[in-house]
């Protein structure tokens, strides 16, 4: 069994999500916002985030991509498993993603969304893990930054396990 080293407990996560939500809420105060969550990893984070945007006008949808399989690093090939359906033309869009790692997923997503003519596309990530970055992309909103490691819990998985943990842990293989 691999070891789980605690990174953020549920209260620490809540404080970080609060902070980022406050920023998003204020930045999109006057405008409609379409939030597109990246399945499956972002589902818990997104559920917590959007309930802190109760005073904003928010529509949501989901997209699902594949690049990992059961491995712990990117294959570099990204497939579209489920596209979003909501109309984003001339809309402000916020991508909500669990982890920004190589950046290949986010680069692909931004290219994909931009073909639909949105007014703006920004990104909110739970974790920015910067050591393995390959694509020149950044997230405008980041809850927590780490250099390296493989994180699980709070929606994040390793081979579909651990998504149900309330905290975030580093998986020591
Ligand atoms: P990227 O394309 O390399 O930036 O990979 C982003 C995706 O890889 C994320 O959406 C996650 O699903 C997955 N991923 C990258 N690092 C981790 C990790 O530490 N734990 C769990 N999933 C990860
Ligand atoms: Mg993901």
């Amino acid at each position: 069994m691999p070891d789980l080293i605690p990174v953020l407990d549920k209260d620490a996560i809540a404080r970080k999500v609060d902070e980022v939500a406050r920023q998003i809420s204020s930045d999109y105060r006057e405008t409609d916002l379409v939030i597109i969550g990246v399945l499956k990893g972002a589902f818990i984070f997104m559920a917590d985030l959007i309930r802190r945007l109760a005073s904003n006008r928010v529509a949501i949808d989901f997209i699902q991509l594949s690049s990992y399989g059961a491995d712990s690093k990117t294959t570099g090939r990204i497939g579209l498993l489920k596209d979003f359906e909501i109309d984003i033309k001339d809309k402000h869009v916020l991508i909500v993603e669990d982890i920004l790692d190589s950046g290949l997923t986010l680069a692909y997503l931004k290219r994909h969304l931009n073909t639909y003519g949105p007014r703006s596309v920004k990104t909110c990530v739970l974790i920015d893990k910067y050591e393995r970055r390959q694509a020149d992309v950044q997230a405008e909103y980041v809850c927590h930054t780490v250099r390296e490691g493989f994180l699980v819990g709070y929606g994040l998985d390793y081979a579909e396990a651990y998504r149900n943990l309330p905290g975030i842990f580093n998986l020591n293989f």
Side-chain angles (χ1 to χ4, degrees):
M1 274 294 274
D3 283 345
L4 294 175
I5 318 288
V7 174
L8 294 173
D9 65 19
K10 68 177 183 6
D11 296 333
I13 296 170
R15 283 193 297 273
K16 285 171 184 273
V17 176
D18 264 342
E19 211 171 292
V20 159
R22 248 199 309 276
Q23 191 62 54
I24 293 170
S25 180
S26 129
D27 291 352
Y28 294 94
R29 201 171 42 239
E30 311 290 347
T31 51
D32 291 346
L33 177 61
V34 179
I35 296 184
I36 300 197
V38 185
L39 293 171
K40 300 175 203 171
F43 84 109
I44 295 178
F45 174 41
M46 178 148 149
D48 283 344
L49 182 71
I50 63 170
R51 282 177 290 178
R52 289 166 164 97
L53 303 176
S55 56
N56 297 81
R57 291 190 306 272
V58 169
I60 69 155
D61 203 349
F62 294 97
I63 190 166
Q64 187 169 12
L65 307 169
S66 67
S67 84
Y68 266 56
D71 205 350
S72 66
K73 64 178 186 7
T74 183
T75 60
R77 286 188 311 275
I78 293 158
L80 185 58
L81 293 179
K82 180 220 171 293
D83 208 351
F84 67 96
E85 285 148 51
I86 204 163
D87 183 13
I88 62 167
K89 183 153 176 50
D90 299 325
K91 299 278 171 62
H92 292 290
V93 175
L94 183 66
I95 299 168
V96 174
E97 171 63 311
D98 55 358
I99 294 210
L100 174 56
D101 183 14
S102 71
L104 296 172
T105 303
L106 186 55
Y108 171 92
L109 268 173
K110 286 187 153 183
R111 268 199 314 277
H112 180 62
L113 294 179
N114 275 319
T115 62
Y116 294 86
R119 188 135 155 234
S120 70
V121 178
K122 290 189 178 175
T123 307
C124 173
V125 295
L126 178 64
I127 309 280
D128 181 356
K129 183 169 73 177
Y130 58 85
E131 189 182 61
R132 296 196 296 198
R133 195 67 37 85
Q134 293 177 44
D136 182 22
V137 286
Q138 271 143 28
E140 285 78 7
Y141 306 99
V142 175
C143 289
H144 187 67
T145 302
V146 296
R147 185 159 73 94
E148 61 190 352
F150 197 85
L151 305 186
V152 296
Y154 194 68
L156 299 166
D157 77 310
Y158 173 64
E160 296 301 327
Y162 308 113
R163 293 196 199 275
N164 55 323
L165 303 182
I168 297 174
F169 299 83
N170 205 320
L171 190 65
N172 244 348
F173 292 96

